[in-house]
Amino acid sequence: MTTRTLAEAATAVLTTPDPAEKCRLTRAIAADWAEGRIVEVGACPPPDRPARPEKPRLLPFKDMPRRSYGGDRGRISLIHALAHIELNAIDLGWDIVARFTSHELPRRFYDDWVRVALDEARHFEMLDDLLNRLGSRYGDLPAHDGLWQAAEKTADDPMARLAVVPMTLEARGLDTTPATIDKLSRNGDTLTPPALEIIFNDEIHHVAAGVRWFTFLAERRNQDAGTAFHAWMNDRYPAGLKPPFNHDARAKARFPRHWYETLARK
Ligand SMILES: [Fe+2]
Ligand SMILES: [Fe+2]
């Protein structure tokens, strides 16, 4: 594959439907970027929606079957839901790379989101591998489309995207993953918790990148970052945040507590 710019490479992943191929391309592009075979960011508008495989079938959130933790079936449905989140996350990483190229962001911005996409590809592959061990595979169960809807609602401004995707949806993962690990461990699952530990630790860096670049953009616009976060959240995520919060993990991501705690749903 010869790709001239990072934005073109990002769009190539977004327009690839097959998950395994998305992961393979992600690794190749991340290496090309890190090792200087891709140098220019360039400009290449990403698609409104990424290409996806024929399966899983996407259902509205309210029609999703309820998850349980018990037995192999419960485990498969949980891991499948998480694999779907990670596949979306690969596309979200590349979408941030390609969508905001007119904002003259520094090279380190692109380093961070290429790294995020690479982590997400690893996460997806770990979870798909667990599904395979349980006799299943990604695509076997329905999935929902909530994550991409969040992307569509925040396609106009990188501050909106960072507020809603890494600083809200990925940060929510920091709040919920430890309890998921506990429940699985108590049910005698020894395979899934180590994978979720790796994901949890990587996600701290993804949230941190969100907070860092949101702050960078606020400062560049002469705005107070905390006030700007509240303004974007009121506009794009007015439902508020679901407590309880994992303050410890959020602190590791340098997410100021007063930014998010005041948005907690009553
Ligand atoms: Fe992830
Ligand atoms: Fe992530």
Side-chain angles (χ1 to χ4, degrees), residues 53 64 76 89 122 145 159 163 194 218 228 233 252:
M64 286 294 293
I76 287 169
R122 242 188 26 252
D145 199 35
M159 288 181 81
M233 290 296 284
K252 284 187 183 141

Side-chain angles (χ1 to χ4, degrees), residues 45-204:
D48 291 341
R49 294 183 60 83
R52 286 293 164 75
E54 245 165 67
K55 287 164 83 181
R57 197 156 55 97
L58 298 180
L59 296 179
F61 195 78
K62 63 177 174 41
D63 297 338
M64 286 294 293
R66 247 184 65 103
R67 260 188 234 164
S68 72
Y69 288 92
D72 275 2
R73 275 189 51 196
R75 217 160 18 130
I76 287 169
S77 81
L78 170 71
I79 299 169
H80 194 281
L82 297 175
H84 182 67
I85 290 171
E86 300 294 352
L87 185 67
N88 271 274
I90 299 170
D91 287 327
L92 284 165
W94 290 118
D95 191 86
I96 288 185
V97 166
R99 190 165 301 277
F100 303 114
T101 51
S102 65
H103 288 259
E104 289 179 35
L105 291 151
R107 189 186 160 96
R108 284 172 296 114
F109 176 88
Y110 295 98
D111 291 342
D112 277 347
W113 300 106
V114 169
R115 167 70 198 276
V116 166
L118 183 61
D119 287 347
E120 309 299 13
R122 242 188 26 252
H123 298 169
F124 174 81
E125 288 176 326
M126 280 194 307
L127 295 169
D128 195 38
D129 184 56
L130 285 170
L131 287 174
N132 296 342
R133 288 173 189 236
L134 292 165
S136 181
R137 57 184 302 217
Y138 178 69
D140 279 357
L141 297 174
H144 70 83
D145 199 35
L147 275 174
W148 207 263
Q149 287 164 8
E152 287 174 333
K153 265 191 270 176
T154 57
D156 59 320
D157 194 297
M159 288 181 81
R161 175 63 59 83
L162 295 170
V164 171
V165 175
M167 296 170 75
T168 297
L169 302 177
E170 296 195 277
R172 170 86 184 138
L174 300 183
D175 301 334
T176 58
T177 304
T180 307
I181 292 173
D182 273 3
K183 272 185 204 160
L184 291 167
S185 299
R186 268 187 273 122
N187 282 332
D189 183 345
T190 54
L191 286 176
T192 318
L196 296 190
E197 294 278 1
I198 292 170
I199 291 173
F200 177 78
N201 286 313
D202 287 344
E203 294 302 334
I204 290 174

Side-chain angles (χ1 to χ4, degrees), residues 191-257:
L191 286 176
T192 318
L196 296 190
E197 294 278 1
I198 292 170
I199 291 173
F200 177 78
N201 286 313
D202 287 344
E203 294 302 334
I204 290 174
H205 297 287
H206 303 178
V207 176
V211 173
R212 190 162 59 245
W213 290 108
F214 186 89
T215 305
F216 172 92
L217 284 160
E219 284 170 2
R220 205 165 69 173
R221 296 178 190 184
N222 294 315
Q223 296 167 349
D224 172 73
T227 309
F229 181 63
H230 289 158
W232 281 113
M233 290 296 284
N234 279 330
D235 194 46
R236 305 300 168 93
Y237 205 88
L241 304 175
K242 194 170 174 196
F245 300 110
N246 185 341
H247 295 299
D248 184 51
R250 285 166 176 262
K252 284 187 183 141
R254 300 187 176 275
F255 201 156
R257 185 163 169 161

